[in-house]
Structures are given as C-alpha cells and as structure tokens.
Amino acid sequence: MAACAGPDSETGGSSGIDAAADSVPPASLHALKWGVYLPASESFSESYGQVSDIAGAHPDYVLKFAALAEAVPAVQLREISGLGATPILSLEPWDPPAGSGGDDATAAAVAQPDFALSRIAAGGHDVGLIRWATGLRDLGFAVVLRFAHEMNGDWYPWAVGVNGNTSGDYVAAWRHVHKLFRSVGASNVQFLWSPNVPVANQTSDLAAAYPGADAVDILGLDGYNWGEGDGHTWVEPAALFDAGLGQLRALPGTQPILISETASAEGAAAGQSKAEWIARLMSHCSSQERVMGFIWFDANKERDWRISSSQAAQAAFAASLAKVV
C-alpha cells in the first residue's frame, strides 16, 4: 500500500443511504448517519455491540471488503442487516497478494494486468461480476456496493495510471458493472463511488473518473489523518476534506455525499489531539452541504485508528456523536 492510501482491505440501523465545534453555529448543523469498519471476526454481532457501547449509538452502516474472486459473504451480510445496519461492500477487482491478508498493496499486488480496467469493461470478469450481482440481489435487503474505490491513487491495480488504466477506462468499467447489476434485477444494490482525497503526486481531477449521475447513487470520499511520521504530517478535517468535497459538489447530480473511510492517529506533538480532531470532524461534516455521514475505520493497523485508542478519544467520539446523530 502506498503511503497515502487509505488503510483499507480486508480480504482474508437503517436501510439504504439515506462534539460540534463551538465556532459552528448550531443552526448550520444537520444530523449525520455514521458507520464503522470492523476487522474480520467470526461474529459481527459482538464487535458491533462493543463499538455501539463505546460510541453510545448503533452504527447505521458496517463497511466490509471482499475481492472479486471470493464468494459472496451472505452470512456476514445477513448478520449485519439483522443488526439494523446497512452493509457497505467494497468489492475489489484484484487478487490480494498471498500472505498479506489483502492489507498491503505491494508492487506485486498492484501489477495485475488481468484486472486492468479495459478488461473489466470488455467483459473479461463478467462471470464473477454476475455471481456477485445475483448473490447480492438474492439477499433481498439493501446493500451499498463500493466498487473499485480510491481509483485516483496508485496503490490498486484498478487505479488510473496503473496497468495502463485511463480515467475513460475507469468510467467504462464502472458503467459496465452497473449495467450488469441492473440487468439481473439487483435493484436493492446502491452504487457508492469513492475516490480518495486529492493528494500530491496523484490524480487530482476527480471529475475525469466520474461515471455519471445515472450510474452513481452516493458520492464518497476517503481521507485519513495519519499524524506525524512516514512522510505524513498532521492534518485537520477541513484541510483534509474540503478540496475533495468541493470537487464532488461540482459534479453533475445531487447525490448525497458520504465520508466513506476516515480515522485519525493519536497526536505526537503539542496541539495534536485525536479527541479534538474527532470533535472537529463531526462538527465539520454536519455543517457541510450534502454530507450525510461518515464511516470510521475502527482498526489497529498502520496506526491505532480505533475509537478506543485512548480514553480521551473514546469520550470525545461519544460526546461529539451525541450532538450530530
């Protein structure tokens, strides 16, 4: 995984997509939905209950990752829906590197020409895609499909600029997948288009890979505060998200916007507080036009992204969430 990539890939309550800083007038705030990525476990029920207790509210969404070659995780998706949450399924067209659990986008993982976007658009993976489309259709409840996310980075084989992929190839591949799902009657599946926040040395024009309002139900945006180290610096929520949010709002269409992956490291220097970052995130999201919620990446991975990484962070999350849900 490249240094700027989101810490996402897991290979290994509501239906559908439908703290505040004192400087933001309460009248400008709107209610948010929220969700969580939970690391793979035998039971989502236990981990869902634990994070609900920590946050003081039940997540509306649970984010899960799966590779295209994998079987549809029907049991887990049913469990998530049964808890009252909507599953958000990040479907990744690649073969995760052996032994990595899908967590590290190594050079070998990125260099997978079999998953070039032009091949997807030409029908080279239709067997697998139709299997997913019919499997999700047959669940009979709302599922959000987040296909080939963070296409504007360089850490996945489906990314623009990798394996010969162009923005036009991405649009063609997305529209092909959307057409397949609709052709089998998977009307319970909504499509979430989810670029990464624009970062230096990566594709900054999100519009070029936008598949169109007729093929996208929800706009997403991924972004993390990595804190200091490994080439990163501390970044506050407004600085992290505002440029990308502006680009999303300028696209054709009026879809809701979801912060589809986010989290913060603990601060390592004076003035760097994860607790304060959490409060600012929720306040800022709640004040932003069309932003309807966020998904927190609750895992101890490249950083300790968890809500419970410290007592201060945990308390801030619960107090801030109570103001915006």
Side-chain angles (χ1 to χ4, degrees):
M1 178 177 58
C4 292
D8 52 352
S9 281
E10 167 203 293
T11 302
S14 64
S15 67
I17 289 286
D18 303 82
D22 293 337
S23 61
V24 180
S28 71
L29 304 181
H30 59 264
L32 298 174
K33 300 290 187 180
W34 78 288
V36 64
Y37 163 76
L38 299 170
S41 65
E42 293 183 2
S43 172
F44 276 105
S45 299
E46 182 177 356
S47 51
Y48 180 90
Q50 290 172 346
V51 79
S52 297
D53 290 342
I54 289 171
H58 293 292
D60 299 290
Y61 314 111
V62 173
L63 175 64
K64 179 172 177 52
F65 294 84
L68 180 60
E70 293 178 344
V72 177
V75 172
Q76 290 180 326
L77 296 176
R78 288 192 183 99
E79 186 176 8
I80 292 168
S81 181
L83 293 167
T86 299
I88 298 180
L89 194 287
S90 288
L91 185 58
E92 302 177 309
W94 69 337
D95 284 330
S100 77
D103 290 334
D104 297 309
T106 62
V110 171
Q112 295 186 33
D114 186 50
F115 291 96
L117 294 172
S118 59
R119 189 164 188 274
I120 295 172
H125 290 281
D126 279 5
V127 172
L129 288 166
I130 291 172
R131 175 173 52 81
W132 274 95
T134 55
L136 295 182
R137 176 200 65 193
D138 293 347
L139 291 173
F141 51 76
V143 178
V144 177
L145 185 70
R146 182 173 173 247
F147 179 74
H149 62 294
E150 297 178 4
M151 76 301 296
N152 57 319
D154 62 1
W155 43 87
Y156 291 122
W158 59 81
V160 174
V162 174
N163 289 318
N165 299 329
T166 67
S167 295
D169 291 333
Y170 184 88
V171 170
W174 178 284
R175 293 188 67 86
H176 179 75
V177 172
H178 184 269
K179 183 178 180 180
L180 281 181
F181 272 72
R182 293 298 177 250
S183 72
V184 302
S187 59
N188 60 315
V189 176
Q190 289 185 299
F191 278 74
L192 167 60
W193 180 70
S194 180
N196 197 66
V197 292
V199 295
N201 302 320
Q202 304 298 336
T203 303
S204 60
D205 180 12
L206 304 185
Y210 178 52
D214 61 331
V216 174
D217 300 297
I218 309 114
L219 301 173
L221 192 63
D222 293 1
Y224 289 80
N225 173 31
W226 288 74
E228 302 291 341
D230 305 322
H232 299 283
T233 58
W234 187 270
V235 58
E236 293 293 337
L240 179 63
F241 288 112
D242 281 3
L245 289 175
Q247 289 196 45
L248 294 186
R249 284 191 287 256
L251 295 172
T254 58
Q255 305 98 316
I257 299 171
L258 179 68
I259 301 300
S260 38
E261 282 186 48
T262 194
S264 176
E266 290 284 352
Q272 298 178 356
S273 165
K274 181 173 180 175
E276 293 179 8
W277 195 94
I278 288 168
R280 293 188 184 110
L281 170 76
M282 295 192 198
S283 174
H284 193 63
C285 287
S286 185
S287 71
Q288 291 296 297
E289 180 185 358
R290 290 169 57 189
V291 174
M292 44 71 64
F294 66 93
I295 307 295
W296 190 269
F297 193 89
D298 198 60
N300 187 359
K301 201 164 165 277
E302 304 88 353
R303 306 285 193 267
D304 191 347
W305 306 111
R306 294 174 299 174
I307 298 167
S308 60
S309 61
S310 66
Q311 287 293 331
Q314 181 172 318
F317 197 97
S320 302
L321 191 65
K323 297 179 181 180
V324 297
V325 295

